[in-house]
Amino acid sequence: DGGITQSPKYLFRKEGQNVTLSCEQNLNHDAMYWYRQDPGQGLRLIYYSQIVNDFQKGDIAEGYSVSREKKESFPLTVTSAQKNPTAFYLCASSGFGGNNQPQHFGDGTRLSIL
Amino acid sequence: QKEVEQNSGPLSVPEGAIASLNCTYSDRGSQSFFWYRQYSGKSPELIMSIYSNGDKEDGRFTAQLNKASQYVSLLIRDSQPSDSATYLCAGVFTGGGNKLTFGTGTQLKVEL
């Protein structure tokens, strides 16, 4: 089945550690996105990529990094510089075709600090 | 700063009633709007898209867009307990590429 796969489902980070969240899609979508969701808040955009080997910062990019070496994959690294990483991380993708393309989400990764 | 505003709720409706969820936005140049449903602990699921003024119906769901008044609404007819979730409104704004700006969501509770 086509879809977006995020792994792991749960992740724990130690102090000073970088962790990487995986996002893979087999929908042949050009654009991919990373969001963060905190309790009682909406989704906030971290990074997005509309084409392979290119990505842009979203509203809260500090403390995060991404790569887009393949169309199917858009991993997110939460670095030690991100002092409050505990959140629900959501990856999304959409077809490239202007503003009318809806985004579809993976199941998310919950990150907590040990 | 482009903003999408929603009442956080909870909005409680009895089973079988019509639930009305509303969303306002700050940018007149907005292009497209989407409604997502998010069950507790789960990821958002797209339920409706609307791009032009007027109503769009899909089963028990009707999305309404009024660009002059800058609001979007979602009506759920014959509400069921399984509709209990948080509903997120999101918009794509001019000059934003395909980036979505999300509201904080409205919690809907459908009571037996």
Side-chain angles (χ1 to χ4, degrees):
Chain A
D1 283 357
I4 302 167
T5 302
Q6 290 188 242
S7 63
K9 193 167 185 175
Y10 299 95
L11 186 58
F12 298 92
R13 194 191 88 170
K14 294 180 181 178
E15 203 70 39
Q17 184 183 41
N18 293 350
V19 292
T20 297
L21 285 60
S22 171
C23 179
E24 303 276 334
Q25 54 97 1
N26 61 5
L27 301 168
N28 199 33
H29 282 169
D30 291 288
M32 297 186 73
Y33 310 81
W34 275 105
Y35 293 91
R36 168 181 173 142
Q37 187 176 36
D38 295 280
Q41 296 193 32
L43 278 66
R44 292 184 290 167
L45 184 64
I46 304 173
Y47 268 98
Y48 65 104
S49 168
Q50 294 184 323
I51 196 169
V52 174
N53 292 323
D54 188 44
F55 50 82
Q56 286 78 40
K57 293 181 179 180
D59 300 320
I60 55 164
E62 186 174 348
Y64 301 97
S65 66
V66 294
S67 63
R68 186 85 186 277
E69 297 176 1
K70 298 187 299 182
K71 186 176 183 177
E72 304 79 22
S73 179
F74 191 40
L76 173 74
T77 296
V78 184
T79 74
S80 57
Q82 172 50 246
K83 297 307 179 187
N84 184 23
T86 298
F88 188 36
Y89 289 87
L90 290 156
C91 178
S93 69
S94 67
F96 192 75
N99 297 333
N100 292 341
Q101 298 299 318
Q103 294 180 20
H104 298 274
F105 288 85
D107 290 339
T109 293
R110 291 195 181 277
L111 175 62
S112 302
I113 297 179
L114 278 178
Chain B
Q1 179 85 10
K2 311 281 194 277
E3 290 187 345
V4 175
E5 301 285 340
Q6 293 182 260
N7 187 320
S8 61
L11 172 67
S12 294
V13 299
E15 184 178 7
I18 296 175
S20 178
L21 303 159
N22 299 309
C23 169
T24 60
Y25 59 91
S26 62
D27 179 11
R28 285 191 170 273
S30 58
Q31 300 294 316
S32 312
F33 291 90
F34 306 92
W35 282 99
Y36 288 84
R37 178 177 61 200
Q38 187 174 26
Y39 292 114
S40 181
K42 302 296 185 182
S43 63
E45 172 193 9
L46 179 70
I47 54 172
M48 289 289 284
S49 307
I50 187 163
Y51 308 112
S52 55
N53 280 326
D55 295 1
K56 180 182 178 182
E57 186 174 318
D58 183 1
R60 294 187 297 113
F61 299 100
T62 299
Q64 300 173 319
L65 175 58
N66 184 322
K67 291 191 176 183
S69 300
Q70 297 177 227
Y71 79 80
V72 193
S73 62
L74 179 70
L75 301 178
I76 306 174
R77 288 181 298 281
D78 189 23
S79 295
Q80 302 297 309
S82 59
D83 295 325
S84 297
T86 296
Y87 289 80
L88 302 170
C89 173
V92 177
F93 296 100
T94 50
N98 199 32
K99 291 189 296 179
L100 286 178
T101 298
F102 283 85
T104 54
T106 298
Q107 185 184 7
L108 173 66
K109 293 185 176 180
V110 180
E111 299 168 334
L112 294 170

